[in-house]
Amino acid sequence: RKEVEQDPGPFNVPEGATVAFNCTYSNSASQSFFWYRQDCRKEPKLLMSVYSSGNEDGRFTAQLNRASQYISLLIRDSKLSDSATYLCVVTIGGFKTIFGAGTRLFVKA
Amino acid sequence: GAGVSQSPSNKVTEKGKDVELRCDPISGHTALYWYRQRLGQGLEFLIYFQGNSAPDKSGLPSDRFSAERTGESVSTLTIQRTQQEDSAVYLCASSPRTGSAGYTFGSGTRLTVV
């Protein structure tokens, strides 16, 4: 079993739709959680950290469920510019960082 | 610097040659990571440096791969006797602490072994 697993997608959604991604992690010692965004042929960029209490940044909401060992990302009112690959990132033991393989999102006009 | 700088941005090399990739992290960032990303694939962890501590080399795929970093400065990733399967984008990322604040990536070095 991979340490961090994501549905690779692709998710094809129309503009304005709400879409959600989940990511599961296997190591209960995982400490920090992030969502990164990677555009085609570009480097990953931090989208948002994920806190235990859940956090929101504009149209994006991230949640963490430690009991079930998953994190989620919800995107409301999807824009064409949201089309990208979304990477789930887990830090274990304070320094070991594992990236998920990513979920591809295509937002269509 | 303002961001993580990697050089060269592109490298084409012949099979069997050695290559050296450079990463200049953000000033003050103590943690530095190297990742490999093959076309259409996810990020593959290679090596991690944290300050002057011994690096975590657990992700290096073979003994042809090595990396160095002096203190909190520049890091170099060296691939000896390159093979075609080494073709990938090599990404460097740095963080102000042990990843708890997220990472800033460089734009990568695209390595093509012909």
Side-chain angles (χ1 to χ4, degrees), chain B residues 8-51:
Chain B
S9 54
N10 283 284
K11 176 71 176 179
V12 180
T13 189
E14 291 180 353
K15 178 181 173 181
K17 300 283 189 183
D18 298 352
V19 296
E20 188 174 279
L21 313 180
R22 176 188 170 107
C23 173
D24 198 344
I26 291 173
S27 179
H29 278 197
T30 57
L32 186 147
Y33 294 77
W34 282 99
Y35 292 91
R36 178 170 71 178
Q37 188 171 34
R38 292 193 169 107
L39 186 64
Q41 304 294 312
L43 274 72
E44 179 185 357
F45 167 75
L46 296 177
I47 189 169
Y48 159 79
F49 295 92
Q50 169 58 24

Side-chain angles (χ1 to χ4, degrees), chain B residues 1-110:
Chain B
V4 177
S5 178
Q6 290 189 247
S7 62
S9 54
N10 283 284
K11 176 71 176 179
V12 180
T13 189
E14 291 180 353
K15 178 181 173 181
K17 300 283 189 183
D18 298 352
V19 296
E20 188 174 279
L21 313 180
R22 176 188 170 107
C23 173
D24 198 344
I26 291 173
S27 179
H29 278 197
T30 57
L32 186 147
Y33 294 77
W34 282 99
Y35 292 91
R36 178 170 71 178
Q37 188 171 34
R38 292 193 169 107
L39 186 64
Q41 304 294 312
L43 274 72
E44 179 185 357
F45 167 75
L46 296 177
I47 189 169
Y48 159 79
F49 295 92
Q50 169 58 24
N52 292 314
S53 301
D56 176 358
K57 303 180 180 181
S58 60
L60 294 178
S62 76
D63 59 6
R64 296 186 296 105
F65 288 73
S66 63
E68 299 291 332
R69 187 188 188 197
T70 304
E72 298 177 4
S73 62
V74 171
S75 175
T76 56
L77 176 69
T78 301
I79 309 173
Q80 296 177 309
R81 305 181 303 281
T82 52
Q83 303 296 314
Q84 287 186 328
E85 63 262 27
D86 298 335
S87 296
V89 175
Y90 289 82
L91 290 159
C92 174
S94 70
S95 170
R97 289 182 294 167
T98 53
S100 57
Y103 310 88
T104 301
F105 280 84
S107 55
T109 293
R110 186 173 301 277

